[in-house]
Amino acid sequence: MKTIAFIPVRGGSKSIPLKNIKPFCGKPLVCWNIEALEDCPEVDEVIVATDSDKIERVVTSQSYKKTKVYRRSAENACDTASTESVMLEYIHYAQLPSDDIFMLVQATSPLTETVHFTEALTVYGKGEYDSILTCVRNYRFFWNEDGTSMNYDYRNRPRRQNFSGMLMENGAFYINKVRNILESGNRLSGHIGIYEMPEYTATEIDEPDDWVVLENLMRKHVLSKRKEVKISLFLCDVDGTLTDGGMYYSENGDELKKFNTRDGMGFQLLREVGIKTGIITSENTKIVENRAKKLKVDFLYQGKRDGGKLAVTKDICEQLGITLDEVAYIGDDINCMELLEAVGVKACPADAYEEVKAIPDIHIMTRKGGDGCVREFINHIL
């Protein structure tokens, strides 16, 4: 018997285009749930069901071990298709055994953590319920349209500490057996149990305002619990990172490069908070020297050196009295890989070499080289 986590993500969101891969707190939205599930030992497989090439590329570019992409049919990816329809489509396609546990997970609830999946699956494993849904406790007072109060006596208004509230479905995830889903055609059936989640997980992302609210809640309730990584030094590559990788030549044979001004502002923001900056490139040009002066970087290393970029970075760390764990680096090609694998925080542009994207724990930016990917990474750090 296996436990399958199923995440349906369409490419056709109307209110927020491609919201499932839009950066949420520095990471594509769908990746938050995927990574929480990857860390959950009770989950055997994670299936991302999508109709979008872009969503598939984002998911497969990560180094996930349990996660696979399923290309859902166009019929079950339209605006009128139900979530149950794509669940049933996949169950029939994969010919899942009837005793398998099937957990529907909503990417629009990014504050769901590994502990929530683990606890709910543990409850389900006791066999007391046929299916489980997630809820939060709501302490609002509700009224009927006929002017009668629904969940309290307005003549004796209770204080919050004396009010038990009401359980509200938050849509984070649902657990059932394959057999039950096939028989009922529904995510829930039989004797239904409730797994109560924290009140801050009540909101799902549907409209742009939800995005702003949930990013703030994510920082306060989830990210604040994680160990803070101290960054003392920011380094980046040039060709394919600060530039688009193109090589332009004038009629006189002069080589030209195109840089992005927003990346330049990012270096200023780092400088303002006391983070040292540097550029490391295998090329050796006056253009890069001039750009480095403009950016006011603390360190510039050009040309091939013994030991490559990693050796250069170790020298800088020794000068500053810091470790590689305190270094953030963004690069795009195979000559960046050794350094990327060694530093504390690593990133690459959206169009980086595929082997670079496969480096564990690397942050893959949504922007390409020369298109503001360095600024995007800097924003993530700050």
Side-chain angles (χ1 to χ4, degrees):
M1 182 179 71
K2 293 196 302 186
T3 297
I4 312 295
F6 186 77
I7 310 177
V9 283
R10 294 192 307 124
S13 173
K14 296 294 189 295
S15 58
I16 308 175
L18 283 173
K19 69 179 176 184
N20 291 303
I21 53 172
K22 179 181 175 182
F24 178 87
C25 287
K27 188 181 298 183
L29 178 64
V30 69
C31 292
W32 289 102
N33 268 308
I34 292 174
E35 291 173 15
L37 290 163
E38 286 268 331
D39 290 338
C40 181
E42 289 76 14
V43 173
D44 298 298
E45 288 183 6
V46 182
I47 305 298
V48 178
T50 187
D51 60 321
S52 166
D53 292 338
K54 290 184 178 179
I55 293 176
E56 180 174 7
R57 282 197 296 270
V58 167
V59 174
T60 56
S61 69
Q62 306 295 323
S63 301
Y64 297 137
K65 297 178 181 178
K66 301 179 185 178
T67 304
K68 301 174 183 176
V69 172
Y70 168 70
R71 290 304 294 249
R72 60 200 283 182
S73 67
E75 177 185 359
N76 286 326
C78 65
D79 292 339
T80 57
S82 67
T83 299
E84 272 74 8
S85 67
V86 71
M87 289 168 55
L88 291 166
E89 176 191 323
Y90 177 74
I91 288 172
H92 287 300
Y93 163 81
Q95 298 183 330
L96 297 181
S98 60
D99 284 337
D100 276 3
I101 296 172
F102 193 92
M103 182 164 63
L104 169 65
V105 178
Q106 306 279 42
T108 48
S109 297
L111 275 66
T112 309
E113 298 180 75
T114 300
V115 64
H116 302 138
F117 293 124
T118 299
E119 289 179 354
L121 285 167
T122 300
V123 171
Y124 189 70
K126 295 177 181 178
E128 298 176 14
Y129 303 107
D130 296 307
S131 58
I132 283 181
L133 79 157
T134 58
C135 291
V136 296
R137 196 165 292 276
N138 189 300
Y139 293 93
R140 297 287 185 177
F141 296 135
F142 292 94
W143 287 73
N144 299 302
E145 291 184 4
D146 63 1
T148 57
S149 58
M150 186 183 298
N151 64 336
Y152 81 112
D153 180 359
Y154 68 89
R155 290 160 298 200
N156 295 288
R157 184 180 294 269
R159 296 182 304 165
R160 181 184 173 100
Q161 56 266 42
N162 298 326
F163 181 54
S164 60
M166 296 179 69
L167 287 171
M168 180 185 78
E169 186 173 340
N170 70 346
F173 60 95
Y174 306 80
I175 306 173
N176 208 337
K177 285 281 183 70
V178 168
R179 177 194 305 107
N180 299 335
I181 296 171
L182 289 173
E183 290 176 356
S184 67
N186 198 288
R187 68 189 75 179
L188 294 170
S189 57
H191 184 207
I192 301 173
I194 292 172
Y195 173 69
E196 189 172 338
M197 293 180 66
E199 190 176 358
Y200 62 80
T201 65
T203 306
E204 298 178 76
I205 291 181
D206 189 38
E207 300 296 333
D209 285 349
D210 300 331
W211 199 280
V212 177
V213 170
L214 278 179
E215 280 200 313
N216 286 325
L217 290 172
M218 172 67 89
R219 295 186 184 100
K220 178 179 180 181
H221 294 286
V222 180
L223 299 183
S224 63
K225 295 185 293 187
R226 300 185 177 183
K227 182 181 178 181
E228 185 175 347
V229 179
K230 180 186 177 184
I231 299 299
S232 303
L233 174 65
F234 178 89
L235 299 173
C236 74
D237 182 34
V238 177
D239 292 325
T241 305
L242 278 173
T243 78
D244 59 6
M247 300 181 70
Y248 306 88
Y249 293 93
S250 69
E251 290 185 357
N252 297 325
D254 297 321
E255 182 182 331
L256 307 173
K257 297 181 186 289
K258 180 172 73 71
F259 295 92
N260 190 295
T261 57
R262 293 187 180 90
D263 289 341
M265 178 56 72
F267 277 84
Q268 180 178 323
L269 294 173
L270 290 171
R271 193 163 56 250
E272 288 174 356
V273 297
I275 296 176
K276 299 291 186 181
T277 60
I279 291 174
I280 302 179
T281 174
S282 300
E283 300 295 322
N284 196 339
T285 67
K286 189 69 176 178
I287 299 173
V288 173
E289 182 182 334
N290 291 337
R291 182 59 178 163
K293 288 180 180 178
K294 179 75 173 178
L295 297 177
K296 299 180 181 179
V297 299
D298 299 287
F299 302 95
L300 170 63
Y301 287 84
Q302 295 197 81
K304 291 182 171 60
R305 301 194 179 201
D306 292 339
K309 296 183 177 183
L310 178 57
V312 169
T313 303
K314 286 180 176 178
D315 287 343
I316 298 174
C317 288
E318 188 174 345
Q319 292 178 48
L320 296 177
I322 63 174
T323 67
L324 286 169
D325 288 337
E326 297 174 60
V327 178
Y329 177 65
I330 180 169
D332 73 303
D333 216 328
I334 54 174
N335 62 335
C336 302
M337 290 182 63
E338 187 181 29
L339 179 54
L340 284 167
E341 290 169 343
V343 297
V345 182
K346 60 208 72 178
C348 67
D351 57 344
Y353 187 62
E354 290 303 317
E355 286 189 32
V356 171
K357 291 182 178 181
I359 294 174
D361 300 323
I362 195 165
H363 297 274
I364 302 173
M365 300 295 98
T366 62
R367 294 185 176 274
K368 297 179 180 180
D371 189 36
C373 68
V374 175
R375 174 66 177 277
E376 183 182 351
F377 184 38
I378 290 171
N379 286 348
H380 172 71
I381 291 169
L382 296 176

